[in-house]
Amino acid sequence: MRRRNTRVVNIGGVPLGGENPIRIQSMTTTDTMDTSATVKQSIRMIDAGCEYVRITTPSLREAENLTDIKEELSRFGYVTPLIADIHYTPKAAEIAAQIVEKVRINPGNFSDKNKNNKILSDTEYKSELNLIFERFSPLVEICKKHNTAMRIGVNHGSLSGRILTRYGDTPKGMVEAAMEFVDICRKLNYHDIVLSMKASNPKVMIDANRLLVKVMKHRNMDYPIHLGVTEAGEGEDGRIKSAIGIGTLLSEGIGDTIRVSLTEEPEFEIPVAREIIKYSQPSKLIYRKVEDVLANSEAILNIGGNNPPVVFADFSNAKLNLSGLYQIGYEYQNESDNFTHNEISADLVYLGSREPFSKYPRDLKILFDFDYWRNSELKDSSYPLMNWRQFKDNSKKDFIKFVLTTPKEIDTNILQSSKTTVLVIDLNESKNTSEIKELMNCFYEDNINLPIILKKDYHNLDKEQLPIQTSIDFGSLLIDNIGDGIWVTPSNRRTINTAFGILQATRKRITKTEYISCPSCGRTLFDIQNTAEKIRNRTSHLKGLKIGIMGCIVNGPGEMADADYGYVGVGVGKVSLYRGQIVVKKNIAEANAVDSLIELIRSDGKWVDAQ
């Protein structure tokens, strides 16, 4: 299957869209006025595989300095296309468009007078659009003259007041914001444009891009799309969010260039982007909405129904003793029968045909292979795992699990009559997730509401590959409400943690603190990487709390819209703290800001001491 067919946009000799490879880009984090630092960092990015280098351009000075940066890169033999990232300053965009190969503008803050979120009449709304045309058309004409490409990049966190009052902070509002600017480009016969819909929530980002494709198809548009989950964060959590958002869309044939936004050095983003592209092969496009399978499934034990998705641990082939309890999140205390478990403890353990733990938590549900279970004295405290043939031939249906490896040979009559069956669907037997989505649509039409466990085997994956591959496989299904549990093999503490991270990123099960942190850029007003680490070290035990860590106000308040608290740079060495989207403490010295954040959480009664 092919990617969505788009027009080709030439960006400084590195064409985008059409039959060209999916391009990788990133963004510098240096002060744009520091030419030497920006050039050195750009070279590190390019050497890592970055095909477009984006540079923040907050004012006319930075726009003019792009000439020096470009010349210095050329002196070292680098001719990679440069992109000027513009917010608030149309004049800076006009200067940059005469220097670099592409400019990125944000419809949310390019030109919008409705700063007070006043509800506009149709006449007032049209007047605002006329004003946008006046301010935007000079840039379009410059881009046409200099063969400069443009990205119309919408951010969920920085929609204009005009859009918010009419459409809300919705995917529809994001698409409408882009279309207003696209219409101006088309009126001026300018088509070297790329579109993007970004959000820190992978679900919002996916929905917005799917809607964008639908709207463009309806309007006979074929512009390429840039993908990214903005403010994804750092470490494995950032990789999981990015892989779910970007990988899900790439696997549906959507996307022509990507950027992975990590709160790390920009060159570290490139291998992650490359792995996402490599693993996300386009499959059959399915635009039909998948029904809410998760909410409609039957509840069996703690699986399905209104229960959060469960996590399996598979120790059927592992060397296991009492220390294995630590691997699945349980702690053994004082050689007694007392066990404690943390928020990322596996819910069920599969032991195959091996002897169980000599001692194990009584609330831990254990599965055995069917034949072993049938002859075991543990039948009252464990459950069988059957294959499809055993299930069809077996008359006893108290509680049955079976591995479904041939989805197209399903006897739906058997499944319709069962009320005690949990389906284990082996993703290794599927070519792509679209097959599973088609299967779920069939289940829904046939009124089969049984819980679904998604299972897949991963072997010999390195530290970078595991979170990316698992996130694309499971996340692209969970994001569409498919799946009541995850079963990853081989199982260990690392893979179990990753499973819980995927559930958290898809908002299906919250087990830890969530951080929404930007990747930093030349606008950042403090060391965001060290600050994020400090905040994480002191707050990582606050289950379910969402904390936004933003380098500046461009996307800060908006992208952390659903965060409980926000930490936002507002000046050199100055930070403001937010409760939701409301500023509660302004201009705090950076040295005291983390302590002030902790004090704010305490004063709201949301602090608990770490165990």
Side-chain angles (χ1 to χ4, degrees):
M1 305 301 296
R2 296 177 57 190
R3 283 179 13 225
R4 169 179 164 266
N5 190 32
T6 74
R7 70 173 58 228
V8 175
V9 175
N10 185 27
I11 304 172
V14 183
L16 171 68
E19 298 292 332
N20 292 291
I22 296 169
R23 302 296 187 184
I24 296 173
Q25 59 182 278
S26 187
M27 187 171 180
T28 58
T29 62
T30 55
D31 179 352
T32 305
M33 294 305 298
D34 188 338
T35 301
S36 177
T38 303
V39 168
K40 288 178 181 178
Q41 189 176 69
S42 297
I43 289 174
R44 294 200 303 273
M45 293 161 58
I46 296 166
D47 287 346
C50 184
E51 295 171 282
Y52 306 124
V53 173
R54 184 151 51 104
I55 301 172
T56 186
T57 312
S59 72
L60 305 185
R61 291 171 62 247
E62 284 84 359
E64 292 166 350
N65 197 53
L66 291 172
T67 298
D68 291 346
I69 293 171
K70 189 173 182 180
E71 289 177 351
E72 188 73 0
L73 281 168
S74 178
R75 190 172 69 83
F76 284 105
Y78 291 85
V79 293
T80 300
L82 303 183
I83 304 171
D85 192 70
I86 308 293
H87 295 274
Y88 299 110
T89 50
K91 289 297 181 183
E94 293 170 18
I95 294 172
Q98 301 174 60
I99 302 170
V100 298
E101 290 76 17
K102 182 182 175 185
V103 293
R104 178 274 172 110
I105 61 101
N106 182 348
N109 54 39
F110 187 86
S111 175
D112 197 291
K113 288 294 185 182
N114 185 25
K115 303 299 183 184
N116 298 319
N117 292 359
K118 173 189 173 185
I119 297 177
L120 304 178
S121 66
D122 289 345
T123 301
E124 291 172 322
Y125 199 95
K126 185 176 180 180
S127 177
E128 289 280 323
L129 292 180
N130 290 335
L131 178 62
I132 290 173
F133 183 89
E134 292 176 8
R135 297 196 170 189
F136 182 50
S137 56
L139 173 61
V140 175
E141 295 293 352
I142 291 171
C143 287
K144 286 173 61 178
K145 179 180 178 180
H146 292 270
N147 295 318
T148 305
M150 179 190 300
R151 170 155 71 97
I152 299 173
V154 178
N155 276 18
H156 182 233
S158 57
L159 294 174
S160 69
R162 178 176 45 80
I163 289 291
L164 287 171
T165 54
R166 180 155 293 204
Y167 301 102
D169 59 343
T170 61
K172 180 175 176 58
M174 295 172 69
V175 174
E176 290 295 332
M179 287 297 112
E180 291 176 354
F181 281 71
V182 171
D183 287 341
I184 295 172
C185 292
R186 290 168 72 86
K187 285 180 183 178
L188 298 172
N189 196 30
Y190 174 68
H191 300 283
D192 289 332
I193 56 179
V194 181
L195 306 181
S196 70
M197 305 279 120
K198 288 192 172 185
S200 59
N201 182 335
K203 173 66 173 171
V204 174
M205 175 263 193
I206 291 169
D207 287 348
N209 279 282
R210 285 172 173 170
L211 181 59
L212 174 65
V213 169
K214 183 177 180 181
V215 169
M216 281 204 283
K217 184 177 180 180
H218 178 72
R219 298 181 61 175
N220 295 317
M221 296 177 180
D222 60 353
Y223 301 112
I225 292 176
H226 168 73
L227 298 179
V229 176
T230 190
E231 279 84 42
E234 61 182 338
E236 182 167 282
D237 289 341
R239 285 157 174 77
I240 288 173
K241 281 186 181 180
S242 296
I244 291 171
I246 298 171
T248 296
L249 292 167
L250 289 180
S251 67
E252 295 175 3
I254 299 172
D256 305 279
T257 174
I258 72 171
R259 189 261 173 114
V260 176
S261 299
L262 300 177
T263 310
E264 301 174 19
E265 291 300 314
E267 59 266 32
F268 296 160
E269 298 176 352
I270 311 305
V272 182
R274 188 181 290 116
E275 181 64 27
I276 291 174
I277 292 171
K278 178 182 176 182
Y279 197 70
S280 303
Q281 296 300 319
S283 58
K284 183 178 179 181
L285 302 187
I286 294 181
Y287 294 108
R288 177 181 174 186
K289 179 176 175 58
V290 178
E291 300 294 340
D292 194 353
V293 178
L294 181 62
N296 287 294
S297 63
E298 298 283 344
I300 298 175
L301 289 181
N302 60 334
I303 308 172
N306 293 323
N307 295 298
V310 295
V311 173
F312 277 66
D314 189 330
F315 291 108
S316 57
N317 296 312
K319 184 177 180 180
L320 191 64
N321 51 39
L322 203 56
S323 65
L325 289 173
Y326 290 97
Q327 296 178 321
I328 61 175
Y330 282 80
E331 296 179 0
Y332 179 67
Q333 297 180 332
N334 301 323
E335 298 185 358
S336 69
D337 289 333
N338 296 321
F339 297 90
T340 62
H341 61 87
N342 58 35
E343 291 294 341
I344 53 172
S345 300
D347 302 282
L348 300 98
V349 172
Y350 172 56
L351 293 181
S353 297
R354 62 179 302 149
E355 290 297 321
F357 297 109
S358 58
K359 295 180 180 180
Y360 60 89
R362 293 185 178 90
D363 64 339
L364 181 63
K365 296 173 177 60
I366 296 182
L367 286 72
F368 296 101
D369 286 338
F370 177 68
D371 291 335
Y372 182 91
W373 173 87
R374 184 175 52 187
N375 299 316
S376 172
E377 297 178 357
L378 300 169
K379 275 195 279 189
D380 292 337
S381 59
S382 62
Y383 307 96
L385 178 70
M386 311 180 72
N387 61 37
W388 179 235
R389 177 62 59 187
Q390 290 168 327
F391 175 71
K392 289 191 292 186
D393 294 341
N394 187 59
S395 59
K396 181 178 174 57
K397 296 185 176 67
D398 292 333
F399 182 83
I400 303 169
K401 299 176 185 294
F402 73 102
V403 179
L404 183 64
T405 58
T406 54
K408 294 180 180 176
E409 298 177 3
I410 297 171
D411 187 337
T412 56
N413 291 324
I414 295 177
L415 296 184
Q416 286 171 336
S417 64
S418 176
K419 298 298 181 183
T420 57
T421 302
V422 177
L423 305 181
V424 181
I425 297 183
D426 193 337
L427 301 185
N428 290 100
E429 300 295 326
S430 302
K431 295 179 182 176
N432 49 61
T433 56
S434 67
E435 285 190 350
I436 305 300
K437 292 182 181 182
E438 287 180 320
L439 175 63
M440 293 303 104
N441 280 323
C442 293
F443 278 4
Y444 184 81
E445 290 172 353
D446 292 335
N447 197 32
I448 297 173
N449 300 322
L450 300 174
I452 303 289
I453 302 300
L454 304 171
K455 179 182 183 295
K456 190 164 184 178
D457 305 320
Y458 300 88
H459 296 282
N460 302 318
L461 298 186
D462 62 29
K463 184 179 180 181
E464 200 72 87
Q465 292 173 319
L466 178 71
I468 292 171
Q469 294 190 17
T470 53
S471 296
I472 293 171
D473 288 331
F474 296 114
S476 60
L477 295 170
L478 290 163
I479 210 80
D480 283 330
N481 298 313
I482 295 173
D484 299 279
I486 297 178
W487 182 340
V488 181
T489 61
S491 295
N492 49 49
R493 177 57 70 90
R494 178 184 167 209
T495 57
I496 290 170
N497 286 353
T498 299
F500 278 101
I502 294 169
L503 294 177
Q504 175 109 0
T506 53
R507 309 295 175 96
K508 298 301 181 185
R509 182 172 179 176
I510 306 301
T511 53
K512 53 187 176 181
T513 317
E514 182 163 346
Y515 300 94
I516 305 166
S517 61
C518 70
S520 182
C521 69
R523 297 184 301 267
T524 302
L525 300 168
F526 57 88
D527 186 338
I528 197 164
Q529 293 183 37
N530 287 336
T531 300
E533 184 177 1
K534 289 178 184 177
I535 293 175
R536 183 184 291 271
N537 287 340
R538 297 186 63 181
T539 62
S540 60
H541 63 290
L542 300 175
K543 174 190 172 184
L545 207 66
K546 300 188 188 75
I547 300 175
I549 309 166
M550 302 293 168
C552 70
I553 62 171
V554 169
N555 295 320
E559 285 301 348
M560 61 183 195
D562 64 344
D564 300 291
Y565 298 97
Y567 183 108
V568 181
V570 292
V572 178
K574 297 293 181 181
V575 172
S576 287
L577 299 182
Y578 285 69
R579 181 187 291 117
Q581 288 188 286
I582 300 174
V583 181
V584 291
K585 293 186 178 182
K586 295 182 178 180
N587 299 316
I588 306 167
E590 182 186 350
N592 304 321
V594 175
D595 287 335
S596 295
L597 173 64
I598 305 302
E599 290 173 9
L600 177 60
I601 297 172
R602 285 184 184 276
S603 67
D604 288 347
K606 294 184 178 181
W607 182 268
V608 294
D609 292 328
Q611 297 295 319

